Amino acid sequence: MQRWVVDKEYVLDITPQDYENMLRIVEAEAGGEDRTGKLLVANVIINRVNNEAFPDSVTEVIFQQT
């Protein structure tokens, strides 16, 4: 599992597949943006993983059908 430290008190454990999917979607959505733009895309995904209204994994959030 890849470990992302979002702030001093919060850690998100994700699988290698989640990590790969996160990299791919950030590049697809914000490849032409600066670091801040890419972080904003990743932050939306992380917020959704932590929200009960959305799936519980990065990969499930990315591929969720609306």
Side-chain angles (χ1 to χ4, degrees):
M1 290 208 144
Q2 182 76 26
R3 183 165 284 220
W4 286 38
V5 178
V6 178
D7 62 36
K8 292 181 181 180
E9 298 179 15
Y10 182 76
V11 174
L12 178 65
D13 287 320
I14 62 176
T15 66
Q17 187 63 53
D18 284 338
Y19 181 71
E20 179 67 26
N21 288 335
M22 176 79 80
L23 292 177
R24 289 174 181 249
I25 197 66
V26 167
E27 181 63 26
E29 295 288 336
E33 300 294 326
D34 62 3
R35 183 175 184 214
T36 301
K38 291 175 182 172
L39 286 172
L40 290 171
V41 171
N43 192 50
V44 169
I45 295 166
I46 292 167
N47 286 340
R48 288 182 179 187
V49 169
N50 291 318
N51 185 312
E52 292 181 9
F54 293 92
D56 295 330
S57 78
V58 169
T59 298
E60 291 173 331
V61 165
I62 291 169
F63 292 107
Q64 180 183 26
Q65 298 292 315
T66 57

